[in-house]
Amino acid sequence: MTHGTPGWYGRLRSAGGERLSGDEARRANLRAGRALAGTLRTTLGPRGCDKLLVGSDGVVVVTNDGASILDRMEIDHPAASLLLDVASQQADQVGDGTTSAVLLAGALLGEAESLFERGLHPTTVGEGYWRACDLALDRLPELTVETDGGDRERLVDVVRTAVTGKWTDREATHLAELAADAVLAVGEGDRVDRDRIVLHAVPGGSPTDTELVDGLVVDMAESSTTATDRADDLPRRLTDARVALVDTPLDVPTTRTTRSVAVESVDGLEALTTYETDQRDRRAAALLDAGADVVFCQQAVDEDLAGRLAAGGVFVAERTRQDELYKLARATGARLVATTADLTPTDLGRAGVVERRTVGDRDLTVVRGNAATEQVSVLLRGGTDHVVEETRRVLEDCLTVAVLAYRGDGLLPGGGATEAALAAHLRESARGLGGREALAVEAAATALEVVPRTLAENAGVPVVDALTDLRAHHAQGRSTVGIGAATGEATEMVAEGVLEPLAVKRRALACATEGATLLLRIDDVVAASAGGGGHGEEGHDHGHSHEHDHGHGGYPWALGH
Ligand code: ADP
Ligand code: MG
């Protein structure tokens, strides 16, 4: 992170001539935080705009995913990076709601400035904001709508709400369905074992070609190879197959592989050849006798041996990656054996289907285990590596959101409906509070409306009218009314299928409050010496990639703009 580097300190000085402290420093921090939020403003919601991100390495990415933009943005203001750290927790923990969290933090900072002008102390504002956050968090469960977590339509709705605007509608629906189906496939009761959903990139095609495959995918170009061309004669699809997993080389010592064999006579040569043939026969026989239909070997397989097995109807894959071998063991119940000599039928695993498929330019082997250990694979597609990676990233978020929804801990109406309902609740609650605290809680209510306000703005409708109308609905207790995507007008959100998991909103509220109050408390920014107090660069790696080239100028959130 940025602590201890002279870049931002120099910037602070150059901005004001003098080092900033007290109110000046605080205001500067608030501006930096608000500017960060301002950057994301136009991206919120289904009608949000895209950003074209250009990296210093020339890589160009088009996205309107808040988390993705923040991750790639070069940020040289310490206060803005604090906010960024808070926001990145949102993305990591619940997979969605980053833009909303940052916008809310920005709005809280904006409101704080007016509160300062009215004579409130930053500490009072901070306390009031936490009070508002608690009131809102307590209220959230009451705003949830009744749905059945296992209901596929609902799951798809929730995921689609999370990714609206990130893709075209067609892509969003396709990937939302895919994430929902993946979660339904491995979910049991209210538990989802996320490890049983494996994402696998196959270059080529487009994101809409991304498909869900029932089973484990072994990529024959990446993590395994077909041991012999003779496998081409085997059926592409085997049902109820018995699977052997071998974790040592299936080779036969030959004159080619064993340098130290000394052959002194023709008899000796013959004996050696017989020995080799013998070994091959024995290994092939061991696998055939045990009843294997498919063999995965972690190391090389002698080609003649593989050919012999293929002739016996056995498909052999060699050089299977260790982790893949373990996954195969888990999926099929096979035991890894070190030598074929003591292979018994009980070492073999069972696979409902083993199917060889070609996707793009990749040969894949799909292994479908038994129901209890079933894995599903998502074959990610996209024209370029970047598209595939972006798809992977958003799909990960889709899965996180789908899991939250599947667990059924409550769904809330989106489109700003929940924020509007919370704002109404906070205004109501403020009446029972003392003067200063009431002001801060009311300010938080106004800040919460940043979500519907921005959605209306991005839909291109007059914001004041939309908000007045929305407040009127909520005053009448219609707490599921938000801003409709198509019209920008007040719309009932549950019927539209615009739903978000409770956990996402809960985190967004907490993250935004934490970020805003963190910045409010700071009244000085002091450059620490590089070696001092363990605040060097290494100690502050929060695991996301905003390592910057300091000293860059011209960013809207930099001081002095
Ligand atoms: P975030 O990074 O916060 O997820 P998004 O750009 O995904 O930001 O925008 C999310 C907001 O858009 C949420 O408030 C969500 O409820 C709203 N939204 C999503 N889909 C729709 C829709 N079809 N109609 C109205 N609002 C929607
Ligand atoms: Mg979202």
Side-chain angles (χ1 to χ4, degrees):
M1 234 182 74
T2 52
H3 303 261
T5 51
W8 53 263
Y9 183 59
R11 175 152 213 100
L12 284 178
R13 276 196 305 208
S14 66
E18 295 289 318
R19 188 166 69 83
L20 302 176
S21 69
D23 283 351
E24 285 289 295
R26 182 173 291 112
R27 274 179 217 289
N29 288 340
L30 298 200
R31 275 206 302 278
R34 290 177 64 194
L36 181 69
T39 310
L40 294 188
R41 199 174 176 91
T42 55
T43 66
L44 186 79
R47 308 277 294 272
C49 298
D50 287 340
K51 298 265 175 211
L52 179 79
L53 304 168
V54 187
S56 51
D57 52 359
V59 172
V60 172
V61 177
V62 177
T63 179
N64 68 2
D65 177 35
S68 177
I69 296 167
L70 291 178
D71 234 19
R72 294 183 164 101
M73 212 153 96
E74 210 173 308
I75 289 174
D76 67 352
H77 194 286
S81 10
L82 278 181
L83 197 54
L84 187 71
D85 282 347
V86 175
S88 73
Q89 291 175 18
Q90 175 80 24
D92 295 347
Q93 292 173 6
V94 288
D96 189 36
T98 311
T99 312
S100 312
V102 173
L103 286 186
L104 181 53
L108 287 168
L109 294 174
E111 294 301 314
E113 288 202 70
S114 344
L115 293 173
F116 294 163
E117 266 149 37
R118 296 171 73 172
L120 264 71
H121 190 273
T123 312
T124 315
V125 176
E127 284 166 3
Y129 280 178
W130 276 117
R131 180 64 186 261
C133 181
D134 288 342
L135 285 166
L137 290 176
D138 286 346
R139 179 67 169 179
L140 274 185
E142 292 165 40
L143 296 172
T144 54
V145 292
E146 282 300 313
T147 56
D148 169 12
D151 178 349
R152 180 175 184 269
E153 289 306 298
R154 275 299 186 238
L155 278 188
V156 174
D157 283 345
V158 176
V159 182
R160 210 196 291 110
T161 302
V163 296
T164 301
K166 308 228 184 312
W167 284 300
T168 63
D169 272 354
R170 205 164 78 88
E171 285 166 346
T173 304
H174 179 69
L175 290 151
E177 285 175 347
L178 205 139
D181 288 339
V183 167
L184 287 171
V186 303
E188 288 160 41
D190 59 2
R191 274 195 54 247
V192 180
D193 184 354
R194 182 66 180 69
D195 290 343
R196 283 167 58 186
I197 304 171
V198 183
L199 305 190
H200 188 87
V202 180
S206 77
T208 42
D209 297 323
T210 296
E211 63 173 303
L212 183 66
V213 177
D214 187 7
L216 182 67
V217 169
V218 180
D219 192 320
M220 304 305 280
E222 220 172 47
S223 56
S224 262
T225 16
T226 312
T228 167
D229 291 344
R230 290 176 67 178
D232 291 346
D233 302 333
L234 293 173
R236 305 275 288 173
R237 184 185 159 93
L238 295 168
T239 51
D240 194 20
R242 273 152 299 183
V243 182
L245 305 177
V246 183
D247 64 0
T248 48
L250 274 179
D251 58 359
V252 176
T254 66
T255 42
R256 271 163 292 145
T257 57
T258 317
R259 260 185 246 146
S260 60
V261 175
V263 181
E264 280 159 6
S265 64
V266 175
D267 279 358
L269 187 63
E270 242 167 51
L272 185 69
T273 316
T274 318
Y275 167 80
E276 287 176 18
T277 316
D278 236 37
Q279 289 289 316
R280 238 175 243 125
D281 283 346
R282 272 209 274 158
R283 275 164 215 207
L287 287 159
L288 288 166
D289 290 350
D293 300 306
V294 181
V295 177
F296 287 95
C297 177
Q298 202 211 321
Q299 302 194 27
V301 178
D302 173 79
E303 201 179 326
D304 289 340
L305 173 59
R308 205 164 296 197
L309 286 166
V314 182
F315 172 67
V316 185
E318 63 177 349
R319 300 180 207 282
T320 305
R321 231 172 34 208
Q322 182 102 38
D323 61 314
E324 210 99 75
L325 214 57
Y326 288 138
K327 283 184 200 155
L328 285 165
R330 202 166 99 133
T332 64
R335 209 168 62 82
L336 266 64
V337 296
T339 123
T340 48
D342 39 53
L343 184 78
T344 67
T346 55
D347 294 326
L348 301 183
R350 302 295 274 236
V353 175
V354 176
E355 189 176 14
R356 285 181 295 140
R357 288 184 48 188
T358 307
V359 176
D361 60 0
R362 292 287 171 88
D363 286 325
L364 306 175
T365 304
V366 179
V367 179
R368 202 164 304 160
N370 39 56
T373 55
E374 188 55 295
Q375 303 209 8
V376 293
S377 303
V378 178
L379 299 183
L380 294 165
R381 308 298 312 279
T384 67
D385 286 353
H386 285 301
V387 174
V388 175
E389 276 323 297
E390 200 60 24
T391 308
R392 179 196 293 274
R393 183 190 169 112
V394 184
L395 195 67
E396 291 274 8
D397 291 345
C398 288
L399 289 170
T400 309
V401 171
V403 169
L404 289 174
Y406 178 87
R407 286 201 200 128
D409 73 340
L411 296 179
L412 290 161
T418 299
E419 287 82 358
L422 290 175
H425 175 65
L426 289 187
R427 288 200 180 100
E428 175 83 31
S429 310
R431 288 198 203 121
L433 298 173
R436 284 165 186 271
E437 198 177 26
L439 283 179
V441 171
E442 274 167 14
T446 309
L448 273 165
E449 285 176 341
V450 72
V451 175
R453 202 184 306 131
T454 309
L455 288 171
E457 208 169 274
N458 291 345
V461 298
V463 175
V464 177
D465 297 351
L467 220 58
T468 310
D469 193 20
L470 189 62
R471 280 184 191 157
H473 281 284
H474 283 265
Q476 314 263 316
R478 288 192 283 275
S479 65
T480 58
V481 174
I483 301 292
T487 58
E489 285 166 9
T491 310
E492 207 289 307
M493 285 295 148
V494 182
E496 296 274 301
V498 180
L499 295 164
E500 298 182 68
L502 177 66
V504 172
K505 287 273 178 255
R506 203 193 282 132
R507 272 254 42 97
L509 281 170
C511 278
T513 309
E514 191 187 326
T517 54
L518 190 66
L519 291 198
L520 284 181
R521 282 201 306 269
I522 300 170
D523 78 338
D524 205 351
V525 180
V526 182
S529 62
H535 284 274
E537 303 233 324
E538 301 82 7
H540 275 272
D541 186 1
H542 285 244
H544 56 96
S545 57
H546 52 98
E547 291 137 17
H548 333 286
D549 171 16
H550 299 286
H552 258 259
Y555 293 96
W557 54 89
L559 282 170
H561 286 261

